[in-house]
Amino acid sequence: MNRVALGLKHTLALEAIDAAENRRMLRWGLFFIVLAVVLRLIFWIYTQRYWEDALITCLHSENCARGLGLTHVRPGEPPLHGFTSPLSVLVPLIGDLIHVGFGMDFLKLMSLPAAALTVLYVLAFGIHPRIQLPPALTVLAMGYVALEHHQILWGMAGMETQLSILILLMSLYYTVACKSIPLGISLGLCMLVRPDYGFWTLIVGGYALFKAPRQLLRIVPIALAVYLPWIVFTTWYYGSPVPNTIIAKGLGYAKFWETVDLTNLIAVKQYVSMVLTERLCVMLGPTFHGHGGGVHIFWNIGPGSPIANLMLFFALLGGIVVAWRRQWTWWPVLLFVGVYTLYYVFLVPFVSPWYRPPYIEVLLLLSLRGIQAAGALLPSSAWRNRLWAIAAASYLLLFASVLPLTFHTERQIQRDIENAVRKPAGLYLAQHMKEDEAVGCEPLGYIGYYSQGNVYDWPGLNSRTVVAWSKAHPEKRCLEEMLKGLRPEYLFLRDIEITNMFQNADWVKEAYHPVAVFQLAPEKAKKIRWLRQNIDQSFRIYKKNHPEDALPYDDTLWPPGI
């Protein structure tokens, strides 16, 4: 154990990891490291999960490995910067260069050591001499990143989420520990894994300027050395370092100030409360986001999670304690939570669930500071330690108890919906869609990956045509109006879109006819939990009408109720 501790201390510059008083905590850390890796391996093998958006980014790396360019669009077109996270493509690219198609699995493979290191950096943060969280609370934090469902899901479904969590916690630890060289490297990696971590790099820069201004002379050049080559490459290769995905989302989704009456303080308060408790912080309690279209909350009372709301209360308490007592070591945590809460609530129209785990983990650390402060009110240290131990065990047990259900449901979603509904639709288009034709739809991942065709996705993540249309028609920006305006040869629509979401589907009936139906089998639907959160159960492909078509069209293929 001493050799392990010394090795970690010297290779990763982790302070106090080899201290005699931390040997027990190191054992807990190794336990959760093993648990994290084992759970992820079980999830990978059992569910075979591939998240929709992972297919978008990995098509870039596969095209690059095939010699078609680092792009999603068809050969012959200029390359398009159709991904937000550079590492979400660069890491799979290594796998695809070994064998085309291995990229997503390679990213999953890299998520295993990343999960182990994530647990390790949580341990290092908790035992750091300037932090010194109570042992039970450090165990709680390690247990959360090891076994919470969504800390497992997206990394093991082909997304960069696990790398994002790890890199953020690395940079947080080295900020607290004042290690300039690893901090500079981790900040450069922050920008490579998530461009919006630019806010975090500014926070760290301001903190370093306040605490150790001379260190900035070392931190900044190292961070730039890691990140600047990517800026140079994208400017040369794509013409701009700004991803098309950011432009498309900025144009395609309504902003906070466009949806809420800013003069109505009650409406603003309700909106903020809803985003915080029902969307942003809900993962502090046991939940299930695997259906993509909504969230199932375990043991909920009303629309929110009582467990998550309790942890949010402790985070507020922790923030007050940190600010009131001027605990400067905790200020990076407080500033991160404050800045990103404002960013996600007011500046991001919709925070995709896979963006939330890194934020949630830092928010959890602030919650633990609040729990520590509340426990300090007890006069007896023995009682405090017992209370913290009971709280940690109870909290982690809640998350562990739902894993058999959530793992099984992910397996069902992949097998009975993704593989049986969306994948066949993409393959159908690959067989029928001509090279100069396009399909219009909202979901890009499975359709773009398996059709290998031209997709007018909404809001245009990988379509110059859709982005140009959005720029030209600011008053019409939505899926229906885009499809009406561009009139692609094929439409790929959910039944719920055409029957419930479109203002008027008459234009579809006049200009298109359904040619194929892809639906979740009714006998399978009965066995999948929380299915009402899933909007991907029934799709149809529609083809444009042409005068030369042999009539009549098959009217039995129209969705009921249209």
Side-chain angles (χ1 to χ4, degrees), residues 102-367:
F102 180 50
M104 277 187 287
D105 285 337
F106 185 77
L107 183 52
K108 292 182 181 185
L109 190 64
M110 291 300 98
S111 292
L112 295 175
L117 287 171
T118 300
V119 174
L120 185 61
Y121 277 103
V122 171
L123 168 63
F125 178 87
I127 65 174
H128 192 275
R130 298 192 185 98
I131 298 293
Q132 290 187 327
L133 275 173
L137 300 186
T138 302
V139 166
L140 186 156
M142 289 190 291
Y144 181 87
V145 297
L147 58 81
E148 196 272 331
H149 179 77
H150 305 97
Q151 301 279 327
I152 300 170
L153 165 61
W154 287 298
M156 302 314 298
M159 302 284 283
E160 78 284 356
T161 307
Q162 187 69 66
L163 299 179
S164 178
I165 300 167
L166 167 62
I167 291 168
L168 176 64
L169 290 176
M170 282 174 58
S171 64
L172 175 61
Y173 173 78
Y174 291 125
T175 300
V176 168
C178 296
K179 304 286 186 181
S180 56
I181 294 177
L183 177 56
I185 295 171
S186 63
L187 289 178
L189 291 173
C190 276
M191 295 303 299
L192 285 175
V193 76
R194 286 270 296 276
D196 60 54
Y197 280 168
F199 294 124
W200 170 238
T201 62
L202 293 176
I203 291 169
V204 174
Y207 181 77
L209 187 63
F210 173 75
K211 291 290 290 182
R214 292 184 180 178
Q215 286 199 12
L216 278 178
L217 298 177
R218 302 176 72 186
I219 295 170
V220 172
I222 294 171
L224 287 176
V226 174
Y227 182 55
L228 199 56
W230 179 253
I231 296 296
V232 173
F233 167 75
T234 51
T235 303
W236 165 74
Y237 192 70
Y238 298 112
S240 170
V242 180
N244 182 73
T245 53
I246 293 177
I247 298 170
K249 291 175 184 177
L251 292 171
Y253 298 137
K255 313 298 188 298
F256 159 73
W257 53 88
E258 296 171 341
T259 57
V260 179
D261 182 4
L262 299 182
T263 63
N264 187 336
L265 294 181
I266 295 177
V268 173
K269 180 181 177 182
Q270 289 175 341
Y271 174 84
V272 172
S273 176
M274 181 273 293
V275 173
L276 276 176
T277 60
E278 297 177 32
R279 293 182 187 173
L280 195 55
C281 303
V282 73
M283 284 183 195
L284 284 171
T287 56
F288 181 76
H289 286 76
H291 283 299
V295 55
H296 172 76
I297 301 171
F298 294 92
W299 307 296
N300 66 310
I301 299 174
S305 165
I307 300 164
N309 290 341
L310 179 62
M311 296 302 284
L312 182 58
F313 165 78
F314 280 119
L316 291 172
L317 177 60
I320 292 170
V321 170
V322 168
W324 183 262
R325 296 182 182 176
R326 298 181 182 179
Q327 296 177 332
W328 302 117
T329 305
W330 277 90
W331 269 81
V333 176
L334 177 60
L335 290 172
F336 177 91
V337 170
V339 168
Y340 278 85
T341 299
L342 293 173
Y343 171 63
Y344 287 142
V345 171
F346 296 112
L347 297 180
V348 181
F350 176 73
V351 185
S352 299
W354 50 92
Y355 284 171
R356 301 173 200 171
Y359 167 83
I360 290 295
E361 180 55 30
V362 180
L363 181 62
L364 178 65
L365 295 177
L366 195 59
S367 299

Side-chain angles (χ1 to χ4, degrees), residues 37-53:
V37 173
V38 168
L39 284 175
R40 283 155 177 79
L41 277 172
I42 292 172
F43 182 91
W44 185 0
I45 295 167
Y46 179 68
T47 69
Q48 294 294 304
R49 197 76 163 93
Y50 291 95
W51 196 257
E52 162 88 9
D53 291 62

